[in-house]
Amino acid sequence: VQVVESGGGLVQAGGSLRLSCAASGTIWSINSMGWYRQAPGKSRELVARITSAGSTDYADSVKGRFTMSGDTAMHTVSLQMNSLKPEDTAVYYCHGFITDRNGLGGALDYWGQGTQVTVSS
């Protein structure tokens, strides 16, 4: 199983970026997919998440600015980020809680390689 994200880059404050993520491989089912971020010197934090039931969760700091879309059944999700702020600068990681067809231990955490988002003031 692999999780691969794309997008990111450098944008001025107030601008927008879109991140995309796709899970592939011997997937049996996906419980949830989401986005986390980690800024220098800080711990990784949840940004947004969508479950297989279709519900979404957002960090308070991004509510009203970020919108997550996608479908765990299709194994793809996106994160539209609007009204970006310098404090949104971080490495963004796609995460999947995925059951491998070949796995015996149930769902496991899978992470993408990360993509840099830099918001200049």
Side-chain angles (χ1 to χ4, degrees):
V1 175
Q2 286 187 317
V3 175
V4 179
E5 62 267 90
S6 61
L10 173 65
V11 66
Q12 288 187 329
S16 299
L17 285 173
R18 185 177 182 87
L19 306 180
S20 297
C21 175
S24 62
T26 54
I27 296 170
W28 176 255
S29 65
I30 298 180
N31 291 28
S32 67
M33 291 185 73
W35 293 94
Y36 288 73
R37 68 186 180 186
Q38 188 167 18
K42 296 187 177 181
S43 57
R44 192 171 296 188
E45 63 175 359
L46 174 68
V47 177
R49 175 177 54 204
I50 186 168
T51 70
S52 58
S55 63
T56 53
D57 297 307
Y58 294 93
D60 288 343
S61 60
V62 306
K63 284 181 180 177
R65 301 188 297 121
F66 291 11
T67 302
M68 185 164 182
S69 61
D71 187 337
T72 59
M74 297 299 292
H75 305 170
T76 60
V77 292
S78 296
L79 184 69
Q80 179 65 40
M81 304 184 292
N82 298 327
S83 302
L84 282 160
K85 304 175 181 180
E87 51 263 45
D88 294 317
T89 296
V91 178
Y92 284 68
Y93 296 90
C94 184
H95 168 265
F97 194 48
I98 300 169
T99 300
D100 188 323
R101 281 204 303 265
N102 300 321
L104 302 175
L108 299 175
D109 294 302
Y110 291 88
W111 295 93
Q113 77 281 4
T115 186
Q116 178 70 44
V117 171
T118 303
V119 185
S120 63
S121 57

